[in-house]
Amino acid sequence: MTPKLSVAIITLNEEVNLARTLASVQFADEIIVVDSGSTDRTLEIAASFKAKLYLEPWQGFAAQKNFAIERCSGTWVLSLDADEALTTELQTEIHLLLSGQPTADAYLLRRRNFFLGRWMRHGGYYPDPHLRLFRRHAANFAPPARFTDRPVHETIAIGGTTETLNSDLIHHAYPTLESYIESLNRYSTLGAQIVIEKGHTSSSALALCYNVLLLPTLTFIRNYLLRLGFLDGREGLLLHLYHSTYTSWQYAKAWQTVRKSTTTR
């Protein structure tokens, strides 16, 4: 028999994206949606696709996704963001994979990232592999797969072998500049926490200049020029310009947080 596949998705006000995501995983045996307080039509859309719906106050990305995984009953779990969708080719590939004898315990999915409606093919944004399909238990007596506990850019911790599938996952990331700038602000705040935890918060003027000016400039040169991001047109220019801004903001916010803590002592 084909092993059971569960899909795990976390949501918050995702009415624009969710129907597209759920429509692409209808071949799965079970769909788990964990919502953290949506006030739009997210819950209605989830119910219309017969998803199993759970309400859980926001605990952070990793904790929220782990809550969703814990409610899956399948042998395999496909963890998706609400703004992602499987191509028909990827749907077929996963179905055939699980119908046979999978040779790995976890699989990376290649992502096509869209920015302002354009597929970002260069600058390090493709194929952008992410580990999303995995056995809940890679081996007997092994702990279940879980996302690592970090503020942002959480990843799956799992034992066993890993391979990469051939077909693509579509990431409808940022349809507008406003949505990207809002995300830029939110993620740079979370990224600042990681910078602080790693101790990369020297208060010297020289270190601050490197972190908020030189490092973002080098990031832009690497991705836009050396990794051919300029081939993605005006959208590529804006994406790499603002991505370098993210690098600057997270270090500036980390410096500001440490500065406030030292001045209040």
Side-chain angles (χ1 to χ4, degrees), residues 6-17:
S6 298
V7 177
I9 304 170
I10 64 172
T11 58
L12 175 62
N13 294 329
E14 291 286 356
E15 67 176 5
V16 174
N17 295 308

Side-chain angles (χ1 to χ4, degrees), residues 58-72:
W58 181 251
Q59 303 295 331
F61 286 105
Q64 208 75 3
K65 290 183 177 183
N66 287 333
F67 182 91
I69 293 173
E70 290 162 4
R71 274 134 192 89
C72 293

Side-chain angles (χ1 to χ4, degrees), residues 1-6 27-29 74-76 94-95 97-102 135:
M1 294 179 61
T2 301
K4 186 175 180 179
L5 173 65
S6 298
F27 66 96
D29 301 286
T75 305
W76 288 84
I94 291 175
H95 178 70
L97 172 73
L98 300 186
S99 298
Q101 296 292 328
R135 299 182 196 267

Side-chain angles (χ1 to χ4, degrees), residues 76-80 84 86 90 93-94 97 104-112 127-135 147 154-158 160-169:
W76 288 84
V77 175
L78 175 62
S79 178
L80 296 176
E84 296 174 334
L86 279 62
L90 182 56
E93 186 174 6
I94 291 175
L97 172 73
D105 296 300
Y107 290 88
L108 295 155
L109 306 186
R110 299 152 52 100
R111 287 206 310 181
R112 297 182 200 169
D128 188 30
H130 281 63
L131 199 158
R132 293 302 179 80
L133 178 65
F134 49 89
R135 299 182 196 267
F147 281 90
E154 64 287 346
T155 56
I156 278 284
I158 188 171
T161 57
T162 301
E163 295 178 5
T164 302
L165 296 186
N166 296 315
S167 305
D168 289 350
L169 177 70

Side-chain angles (χ1 to χ4, degrees), residues 17 25 31 36 51 88 102 108 131 201 212:
N17 295 308
V25 293
I31 300 175
S36 54
T88 55
L108 295 155
L131 199 158
T201 54
V212 304

